[in-house]
C-alpha cells in the first residue's frame, strides 16, 4: 500500500474503465481518460486528500481515494470514498486493506465524516466491505441511475472519523 503517483494513473484508468464498461458499480457511462484522472489526482492531492494504490509484486491491482462530498463550504470535512480493484483481484482482502488505509489517511487529513455511495444492484460485496470497515447504512435512493437498460438505486453508508462529531 502506498500513496499514488502520476505514473499510476494509466493503470488506474484501465481498472476503472472495466467497471464503467462492464458493470453497474459506477454510474459513469464513458471511462475517464488518463488525462482526466490526472486532473482529479492533482485536485485531490492539492487539497490534502488521500489517493492510494495497492500493488501485488510490481503490479498495481487497486486504488482508493477520498473526494469532497459536495462543493459547498460547510461540507469541507466530509468526503466520499472510492475503492476499485482490478478484475481477478477481488475477494482477497485487498479492498479491506485499501479502505482501512483510506479511512486512516482521511482522518489524519482532518476529515470528520466519510460517505459511501454504493450502487444497490444486488451484488452486496461493496456494502459488506464498508460495513466490515465500520460504516453504517444511513439511507437509500431508489431508481436514481439508469445503466444497461435498467434502473438502479444507491445505498448510502457513513462512517464517523472524528471523535468530535
Amino acid at each position: 500500500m502506498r500513496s499514488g503517483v502520476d505514473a499510476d494513473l494509466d493503470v488506474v484508468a484501465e481498472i476503472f474503465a472495466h467497471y464503467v464498461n462492464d458493470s453497474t458499480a459506477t454510474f459513469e457511462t464513458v471511462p475517464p481518460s488518463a488525462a482526466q484522472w490526472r486532473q482529479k489526482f492533482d485536485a485531490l492531492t492539492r487539497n490534502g486528500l488521500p489517493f492510494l494504490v495497492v500493488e501485488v509484486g510490481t503490479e498495481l491491482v487497486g486504488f482508493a481515494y477520498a473526494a469532497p462530498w459536495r462543493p459547498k463550504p460547510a461540507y469541507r470535512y466530509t468526503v466520499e470514498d472510492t475503492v476499485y480493484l482490478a478484475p481477478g483481484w477481488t475477494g482477497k482482502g485487498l479492498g479491506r486493506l485499501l479502505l482501512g488505509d483510506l479511512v486512516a489517511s482521511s482522518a489524519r487529513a482532518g476529515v470528520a465524516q466519510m460517505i459511501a455511495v454504493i450502487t444497490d444492484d444486488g451484488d452486496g460485496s461493496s456494502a459488506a466491505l464498508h460495513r466490515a470497515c465500520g460504516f453504517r447504512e444511513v439511507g437509500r435512493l431508489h431508481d436514481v441511475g439508469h445503466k444497461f437498460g435498467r434502473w438502479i438505486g444507491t445505498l448510502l453508508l457513513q462512517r464517523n472519523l472524528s471523535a468530535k462529531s
Side-chain angles (χ1 to χ4, degrees):
M1 180 76 52
R2 63 175 172 78
S3 293
V5 296
D6 186 74
D8 298 324
L9 299 176
D10 288 333
V11 176
V12 165
E14 289 174 22
I15 292 171
F16 190 68
H18 162 75
Y19 290 94
V20 173
N21 293 326
D22 299 321
S23 81
T24 56
T26 175
F27 283 171
E28 294 282 353
T29 57
V30 176
S33 67
Q36 290 169 308
W37 276 104
R38 282 183 179 81
Q39 290 175 343
K40 180 186 290 282
F41 176 80
D42 289 345
L44 295 174
T45 56
R46 184 174 48 251
N47 288 311
L49 294 172
F51 193 114
L52 307 173
V53 298
V54 62
E55 296 173 309
V56 175
T58 59
E59 181 183 0
L60 192 152
V61 299
F63 68 93
Y65 63 86
W69 166 241
R70 296 284 186 259
K72 296 175 182 165
Y75 289 118
R76 68 188 170 277
Y77 299 107
T78 302
V79 297
E80 180 179 348
D81 76 280
T82 295
V83 179
Y84 285 96
L85 295 170
W89 288 99
T90 60
K92 301 178 188 317
L94 297 172
R96 191 170 187 164
L97 179 68
L98 271 169
L99 184 53
D101 280 6
L102 186 66
V103 165
S105 296
S106 296
R108 285 191 301 274
V111 171
Q113 299 291 327
M114 185 173 278
I115 308 294
V117 181
I118 300 169
T119 56
D120 194 14
D121 61 0
D123 177 297
S125 58
S126 185
L129 166 67
H130 282 79
R131 287 186 180 106
C133 289
F135 286 73
R136 62 184 174 84
E137 184 175 334
V138 294
R140 290 178 183 266
L141 301 173
H142 300 278
D143 298 336
V144 293
H146 191 264
K147 189 172 180 182
F148 301 142
R150 65 184 184 126
W151 289 100
I152 305 165
T154 57
L155 174 63
L156 302 175
L157 290 101
Q158 181 175 351
R159 178 164 171 185
N160 180 3
L161 307 186
S162 171
K164 296 177 184 179
S165 305

